[in-house]
């Protein structure tokens, strides 16, 4: 009974954060800020949903835990690869104040 | 040898987790497959093997997981706060972060942790510099950047990988 409630609460939290992540992708001004919202919200959203399912179905718990570990390791790596790729093809980050892009010159030096 | 045992242990634990059964047939097949996998991949799978299984390091690994979980939850509330606010309070930019960690594995964990903590996203790692997209650049002073972004993680990771 307690496990049932705990599982459902975790799934609800996960779904709320996944929704907020989607809203963030919709509202943010450029690709990097969108990725920020996307990465963090989807990581916690997916972790919480998957572990919630594991608690509702105790025989799946260890499987869902392994899936959660895999998500926690692979999600930031993929977002790093996407951000680096976007910078390499020349997408400028949105900035309110000029000159905050310390990565700009590095990319040019590496290409030479 | 210690690297081989470490890889074997990890693969075997993953097998046990995915089959979720201690029937002797499952365990024998799992041990056999883990042996083959560990033999083929231990050189690229781990650099230091059983090095991590020292009580002090295990303590710091658990501490790291706790700090990491708290930071992840905080990061999500931070994102939620910024997204829901109609004014969209952001001031993004890319800053340079200097790390004193030496090992590649440690740097990978630091970069991943920074990506999942409030308001930061690692764009690239070159030698000892991490280029970080920060959604709310408070200051460009290296000391403030170090304290705000990665101090907690770096101190724990230094202990783990020493």
């Amino acid at each position: 009974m307690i496990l049932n409630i705990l599982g459902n609460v975790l799934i609800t939290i996960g779904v709320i954060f996944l929704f907020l992540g989607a809203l963030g992708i919709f509202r943010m001004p450029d690709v990097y800020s969108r990725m920020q919202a996307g990465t963090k919200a989807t990581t916690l959203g997916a972790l919480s949903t998957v572990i919630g399912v594991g608690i509702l179905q105790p025989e799946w718990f260890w499987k869902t835990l392994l899936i959660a570990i895999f998500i926690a390791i692979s999600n930031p790596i993929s977002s790093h690869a996407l951000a680096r790729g976007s910078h390499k093809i020349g997408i400028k980050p949105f900035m309110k104040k000029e000159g905050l892009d310390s990565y700009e010159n590095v990319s040019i030096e590496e290409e030479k | 040898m210690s690297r081989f045992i470490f890889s074997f242990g990890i693969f075997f634990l993953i097998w046990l987790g995915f089959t979720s059964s201690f029937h002797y047939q499952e365990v024998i097949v799992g041990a056999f497959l883990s042996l083959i996998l560990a033999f083929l991949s231990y050189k690229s799978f781990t650099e230091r093997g059983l090095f991590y299984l020292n009580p002090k390091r295990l303590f710091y690994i658990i501490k790291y997981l706790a700090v990491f979980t708290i930071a992840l939850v905080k990061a999500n509330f931070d994102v939620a706060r910024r997204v829901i606010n109609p004014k969209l309070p952001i001031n993004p930019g890319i800053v340079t972060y200097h790390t004193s960690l030496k090992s590649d594995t440690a740097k990978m964990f630091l970069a991943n942790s920074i990506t999942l903590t409030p308001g930061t996203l690692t764009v690239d790692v070159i030698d000892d510099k991490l280029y970080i997209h920060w959604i709310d650049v408070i200051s460009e002073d290296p000391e403030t950047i170090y304290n705000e972004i990665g101090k907690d993680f770096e101190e724990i990771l230094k202990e783990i990988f020493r």
Side-chain angles (χ1 to χ4, degrees):
Chain A
M1 185 60 196
I2 294 168
L3 284 185
N4 205 338
I5 293 170
L6 184 65
N8 282 318
V9 167
L10 277 176
I11 292 176
T12 315
I13 292 172
V15 171
I16 291 170
F17 278 122
L18 284 173
F19 170 75
L20 286 172
L23 193 66
I25 289 174
F26 180 71
R27 288 203 66 199
M28 291 294 185
D30 74 332
V31 62
Y32 306 98
S33 314
R34 281 183 179 156
M35 223 168 284
Q36 292 238 12
T39 315
K40 295 182 230 304
T42 54
T43 307
L44 188 68
L47 286 188
S48 173
T49 313
V50 163
I51 290 179
V53 170
I55 288 174
L56 285 183
Q57 294 282 335
E59 67 268 35
W60 294 350
F61 182 74
W62 296 107
K63 291 178 208 190
T64 57
L65 194 66
L66 283 170
I67 294 169
I69 293 172
F70 181 73
I71 290 173
I73 294 177
S74 63
N75 226 346
I77 293 179
S78 61
S79 80
H80 150 71
L82 284 169
R84 188 168 178 273
S86 325
H87 211 292
K88 287 265 183 269
I89 62 167
I91 299 174
K92 295 254 182 302
F94 164 87
M95 284 175 283
K96 285 191 175 156
K97 203 171 85 184
E98 286 302 308
L100 273 177
D101 187 359
S102 68
Y103 186 56
E104 199 171 19
N105 303 321
V106 180
S107 299
I108 296 164
E109 271 166 33
E110 270 187 341
E111 272 168 38
K112 272 176 192 168
Chain B
M1 193 61 201
S2 119
R3 287 156 78 195
F4 181 76
I5 295 170
F6 182 76
S7 327
F8 172 77
I10 296 278
F11 291 141
F12 194 54
L13 279 180
I14 292 176
W15 172 276
L16 286 182
F18 273 128
T19 56
S20 303
S21 131
F22 288 100
H23 192 273
Y24 73 96
Q25 289 178 343
E26 302 257 22
V27 172
I28 289 169
V29 174
F32 184 63
L33 287 176
S34 308
L35 266 181
I36 295 174
L37 268 181
F39 178 71
L40 290 175
S41 69
Y42 73 96
K43 276 179 191 153
S44 51
F45 186 73
T46 168
E47 277 176 354
R48 298 165 102 171
L50 295 176
F51 169 81
Y52 302 107
L53 286 180
N54 145 331
K56 205 175 129 224
R57 290 208 175 86
L58 282 179
F59 167 75
Y60 277 109
I61 288 173
I62 290 165
K63 192 177 165 195
Y64 171 80
L65 286 178
V67 172
F68 175 77
T69 314
I70 293 168
L72 180 57
V73 174
K74 256 197 218 159
N76 275 275
F77 281 106
D78 184 70
V79 166
R81 181 173 66 81
R82 286 180 206 284
V83 166
I84 291 173
N85 191 327
K87 284 188 201 133
L88 206 64
I90 59 172
N91 174 29
I94 298 182
V95 295
T96 316
Y97 174 94
H98 293 269
T99 174
S100 54
L101 297 172
K102 297 283 180 293
S103 121
D104 281 350
T105 321
K107 276 187 224 159
M108 186 202 84
F109 274 101
L110 180 68
N112 276 0
S113 314
I114 286 175
T115 297
L116 291 176
T117 47
T120 47
L121 172 82
T122 311
V123 178
D124 205 353
V125 183
I126 300 170
D127 297 328
D128 67 335
K129 290 198 205 84
L130 273 72
Y131 295 92
I132 290 168
H133 181 263
W134 199 359
I135 207 157
D136 190 6
V137 180
I138 303 171
S139 96
E140 290 171 72
D141 169 42
E143 189 118 336
T144 322
I145 290 172
Y146 176 80
N147 288 335
E148 284 289 324
I149 293 181
K151 190 163 168 264
D152 302 349
F153 290 118
E154 192 154 338
E155 277 166 5
I156 301 176
L157 285 172
K158 237 182 240 164
E159 294 292 330
I160 296 177
F161 290 92
R162 182 151 64 189

